Amino acid sequence: MLLATRRAHRCTGLVVFLLATILIAAPRPAAAQGQPRKFENLKYFPKDIPRDSLLSHMHGFTRALGVRCQFCHVEDTTARAQGGRERLIFKLDDKPTKRKARFMLRMVDSLNNVVLAKLPDRSNPPVMIQCVTCHRGSPYPQTLATVLTEADHKYGVDSAVARYKMLREDMVSGRYDFSEASLTEIAETLGAQGKTADAIALLQLNQQYNPNSANIDFAMAELYRQSGNEDRAIAEYRMVLQKRPNDRRAMQRLRQLGAGTEH
């Protein structure tokens, strides 16, 4: 019995020794890819910010803007040319996006802690502005109206239509407002600028996704009426009444144009 006990102790000691040897010999976990062990040139974050906390902030930025670290940080092209792993030079301020990021962070701080702090009856807990509040996965916080209007002005309505379809297919959650009203509003803005044909093209696009909408028909009728195309306007007002028989606006417009409300 005593002999068996001694053998058991020897076996246990051997196991402990082997485990200790393995742990000592095993390579330590590598730092996050390309991340320095000591941070340099911090101008917004505290100099003594914990590593995990800083990396958490950085990962939050990439998610909020839908970008990678290279969006703000300079890449070490030498390492890549030599076939090495991707490495970034975090201390450099060469990229304008990094300098703008610092400005935006200070702006958000000011809005949250100075401007909104003066808001009467502020909710508790208070709503705090973050990068994702405006960016929603986009490097530049643009509305759908901005994107489509720019495409229309620069390249024509066909480009705007193609852009809308591409964005809608991607359907990145929360990035753009793809509701019926949003596209109708953009069309009405173009119509007010005298771009009637472009506005109608966007409304026709809107109809593809919202075929039962009387509001789109009414908006189109208004554009035809304002441009002097009364026959098309009448046809569209009557289309409104097919979908919404008691629409008073459509009835009034038809009376003004000397047309009946039958359809």
Side-chain angles (χ1 to χ4, degrees):
M1 183 68 179
L2 180 61
L3 181 60
T5 302
R6 289 176 177 174
R7 286 177 178 174
H9 282 308
R10 284 199 297 270
C11 289
T12 303
L14 180 60
V15 169
V16 172
F17 172 77
L18 290 174
L19 285 174
T21 304
I22 291 171
L23 289 173
I24 294 172
R28 293 181 179 180
Q33 184 174 351
Q35 296 286 354
R37 291 191 174 277
K38 181 180 179 182
F39 296 111
E40 301 177 80
N41 194 27
L42 293 177
K43 294 182 179 178
Y44 171 79
F45 292 102
K47 305 292 185 183
D48 58 349
I49 184 173
R51 176 186 179 81
D52 291 346
S53 179
L54 181 60
L55 295 184
S56 177
H57 282 294
M58 294 299 162
H59 294 156
F61 297 154
T62 59
R63 289 193 298 270
L65 275 67
V67 297
R68 298 183 64 202
C69 301
Q70 291 89 335
F71 186 71
C72 287
H73 295 294
V74 175
E75 184 177 2
D76 185 352
T77 55
T78 304
R80 181 180 289 275
Q82 295 175 351
R85 293 191 343 174
E86 177 183 273
R87 194 173 80 87
L88 301 176
I89 309 176
F90 293 96
K91 65 181 180 181
L92 297 182
D93 291 340
D94 295 19
K95 288 194 173 182
T97 46
K98 183 178 181 181
R99 300 193 294 271
K100 289 179 181 178
R102 289 195 182 111
F103 177 89
M104 298 299 289
L105 288 169
R106 294 187 181 100
M107 178 194 74
V108 169
D109 272 350
S110 178
L111 288 173
N112 283 326
N113 301 314
V114 180
V115 178
L116 292 178
K118 299 176 182 177
L119 179 67
D121 302 321
R122 191 179 184 189
S123 60
N124 186 24
V127 175
M128 304 296 285
I129 297 174
Q130 303 177 44
C131 298
V132 71
T133 305
C134 296
H135 285 270
R136 297 181 179 271
S138 177
Y140 302 100
Q142 296 177 309
T143 63
L144 184 65
T146 302
V147 173
L148 297 187
T149 302
E150 181 181 9
D152 179 80
H153 289 340
K154 287 185 176 180
Y155 310 109
V157 69
D158 290 344
S159 177
V161 169
R163 182 72 170 153
Y164 179 86
K165 290 181 177 179
M166 183 190 72
L167 292 173
R168 191 179 178 103
E169 286 175 2
D170 290 342
M171 196 64 82
V172 179
S173 178
R175 181 178 294 184
Y176 297 110
D177 179 4
F178 290 107
S179 67
E180 170 196 328
S182 175
L183 195 52
T184 296
E185 184 178 345
I186 297 169
E188 289 174 344
T189 300
L190 291 176
Q193 296 171 354
K195 306 190 75 170
T196 304
D198 292 6
I200 290 174
L202 289 186
L203 288 174
Q204 290 172 339
L205 172 66
N206 208 3
Q207 279 185 325
Q208 294 178 24
Y209 296 100
N210 305 281
N212 298 319
S213 171
N215 291 329
I216 298 174
D217 294 314
F218 187 85
M220 196 174 302
E222 289 287 272
L223 285 171
Y224 282 126
R225 181 182 63 82
Q226 293 164 7
S227 64
N229 191 338
E230 294 187 359
D231 291 340
R232 291 298 302 272
I234 290 171
E236 291 297 331
Y237 287 128
R238 286 176 175 165
M239 186 63 68
V240 172
L241 294 178
Q242 286 184 19
K243 298 175 181 177
R244 197 161 55 206
N246 297 319
D247 191 294
R248 294 182 178 180
R249 297 180 304 165
M251 292 179 182
Q252 182 182 14
R253 288 286 192 251
L254 286 171
R255 285 195 294 269
Q256 292 172 348
L257 292 172
T261 58
E262 69 279 357
H263 45 269

